[in-house]
Amino acid sequence: MSRGTIAYIDLGALSHNVSCVKALAPNSRILAMIKSNAYGHGLIQVAQYLSEVDAFGVACLDEALSLRTAGIVKPIVVMAGCFDNEEVRAYFEHDFTPVLHSFYQVEAIQSLGAVKPINAWIKVDTGMHRLGFAPDQLQAVYQALQPCGALIKPLSVMTHLSDADNVNTSYTFSQLNTFMQFTQAIDGPKSIANSAAILFYPVSHLDWVRPGIMMYGVSPRASQTGADYDLKPAMTLTAKLIAIKKLRKGDSVGYGCKGQCPEAMNIGVVSIGYGDGYPRHAKNGTPTLLGGQVCPLIGRVSMDMITIDLRAVPGAAIGDEVTLWGKELPVETVARHSDTIGYELLCGVTRRVQFCYE
Ligand SMILES: *Cc1c(COP(=O)(O)O)cnc(C)c1O
């Protein structure tokens, strides 16, 4: 028996979710966000599969290089932009599109000699207050880059929303207003929308949408699940039952004696732990699924194992498959029991887990 710790990736679900994006934003091009190993789903496999999107978005140069090395020819937009002159050269060599958010990047590009020009996006900070030029700097940066022969015109402009997944819309509307106001005189393509804005703010769709989490079938709003928006989870994480323990009432399970048997009962030991990316903070009672029944976590998550309450499945047998999250069990639910968000759980699946694409 293999350890059986497997992440099944349903490529058809990715396509379905992209078609949801297209239905919501039919007039926008799609920059598919595949940073952080495509949210844990496998950077190259996802990029090779997603032929129906217009471009890919990654966080950093290394991710972009991996894509080109694997033969991906679509445009690649790198959210962090370029750091130094050496990186700038890599952007031109491989035709990557940097997101320019700071003056040091503008200077690095302007100081370049003759090259084959590339596209660039300029990021304006409308309220996230991480990356981006202040709104009142945007016009100056845009104008300063007009004569730059290294960049294809028109340049694109973008911003990122900090609160689009919340129902309190006033902050988001102030970000949208700021963006509209300061980019009014700019003729280049414009982009605002992450998944939450694609779902909740149609006015933000503009020329490019940038879906991430919803492409993987997961809700950007932690209180909902992907199914609430007709999305299908692309990842189903499973492991196997590797031991069954008969314990007595009051027996404790695992490190720190954190799980206590309320009665004489069977405990299942499952071949997954935080070394595989299952969250160590998952509390007692976090659901897992065995044979369609909920088997709650009992005791602490270890590096290589978890222990589950088998009372709902008297017939459970060694080798049975246990689902940690996915089709029948939303990752959003597991995240809620672990004080985190689905994004973190998906990104956190480690290399010890076997990936099956189907
Ligand atoms: C990650 C990211 C997105 C996608 O966000 P989701 O919430 O996953 O849809 C969009 N834009 C930028 C700049 C990002 O970094």
Side-chain angles (χ1 to χ4, degrees):
M1 184 173 98
S2 77
R3 185 161 177 259
T5 312
I6 304 174
Y8 293 95
I9 307 297
D10 178 351
L11 294 168
L14 286 179
S15 282
H16 167 85
N17 299 330
V18 169
S19 70
C20 292
V21 173
K22 287 191 174 166
L24 288 160
N27 302 316
S28 307
R29 280 179 283 172
I30 298 182
L31 180 73
M33 298 304 296
I34 56 172
K35 60 195 178 183
S36 194
N37 196 29
Y39 291 47
H41 294 65
L43 177 71
I44 306 300
Q45 290 87 347
V46 169
Q48 281 170 341
Y49 180 75
L50 281 180
S51 54
E52 63 268 54
V53 302
D54 300 284
F56 292 120
V58 295
C60 59
L61 179 61
D62 277 350
E63 293 174 332
L65 286 168
S66 301
L67 288 171
R68 281 284 185 267
T69 305
I72 302 295
V73 296
K74 276 194 206 294
I76 300 172
V77 184
V78 185
M79 295 300 138
C82 36
F83 284 117
D84 51 27
N85 289 7
E86 197 184 326
E87 275 210 11
V88 169
R89 277 191 290 275
Y91 278 74
F92 284 90
E93 187 179 334
H94 301 283
D95 190 18
F96 297 144
T97 300
V99 171
L100 305 176
H101 52 75
S102 298
F103 285 109
Y104 74 86
Q105 300 171 313
V106 173
E107 285 158 20
I109 286 177
Q110 283 173 329
S111 70
L112 211 68
V115 282
K116 186 161 177 283
I118 57 172
N119 285 298
W121 290 28
I122 300 178
K123 186 168 195 173
V124 51
D125 174 14
T126 55
M128 177 71 101
H129 298 144
R130 295 184 317 192
L131 297 181
F133 294 99
D136 59 6
Q137 293 173 331
L138 178 64
Q139 199 56 35
V141 174
Y142 203 82
Q143 290 314 324
L145 284 170
Q146 285 310 310
C148 176
L151 299 179
I152 298 168
K153 312 301 170 331
L155 299 162
S156 302
V157 285
M158 67 170 286
T159 193
H160 197 39
L161 300 174
S162 53
D163 202 29
D165 56 324
N166 262 318
V167 273
N168 174 14
T169 54
S170 61
Y171 198 81
T172 300
F173 276 118
S174 100
Q175 283 195 272
L176 295 176
N177 289 339
T178 303
F179 187 81
M180 304 302 180
Q181 182 192 337
F182 284 89
T183 61
Q184 207 167 28
I186 285 175
D187 53 358
K190 293 167 190 170
S191 176
I192 301 179
N194 57 3
S195 298
I198 291 167
L199 286 163
F200 310 129
Y201 295 90
V203 295
S204 72
H205 292 172
L206 307 184
D207 300 293
W208 284 94
V209 291
R210 307 190 307 267
I213 198 75
M214 72 181 290
M215 256 184 351
Y216 307 100
V218 173
S219 164
R221 193 172 268 174
S223 57
Q224 312 291 123
T225 66
D228 293 328
Y229 307 108
D230 192 32
L231 302 170
K232 297 183 179 166
M235 181 195 292
T236 297
L237 182 64
T238 69
K240 277 185 182 170
L241 204 56
I242 58 170
I244 298 176
K245 271 287 173 33
K246 250 187 196 344
L247 298 184
R248 294 162 305 181
K249 178 175 179 175
D251 280 350
S252 69
V253 187
Y255 286 116
C257 311
K258 291 293 177 196
Q260 225 102 59
C261 294
E263 59 179 324
M265 60 192 277
N266 282 352
I267 296 295
V269 182
V270 183
S271 60
I272 193 163
Y274 61 79
D276 305 288
Y278 191 83
R280 185 174 174 278
H281 292 292
K283 297 186 183 71
N284 273 294
T286 304
T288 73
L289 282 185
L290 200 170
Q293 302 296 315
V294 172
C295 294
L297 206 63
I298 177 166
R300 264 203 188 139
V301 172
S302 308
M303 189 185 292
D304 314 309
M305 285 170 262
I306 59 171
T307 38
I308 61 174
D309 176 344
L310 286 181
R311 283 179 292 177
V313 192
I318 302 297
D320 281 357
E321 185 182 83
V322 177
T323 299
L324 291 316
W325 62 67
K327 286 210 176 5
E328 314 295 328
L329 177 58
V331 69
E332 296 92 326
T333 305
V334 179
R336 221 171 301 132
H337 281 88
S338 314
D339 297 327
T340 183
I341 51 176
Y343 293 75
E344 188 186 16
L345 298 187
L346 295 177
C347 289
V349 174
T350 69
R351 284 156 27 137
R352 191 163 72 181
V353 174
Q354 186 190 338
F355 277 71
C356 287
Y357 293 84
E358 46 190 24

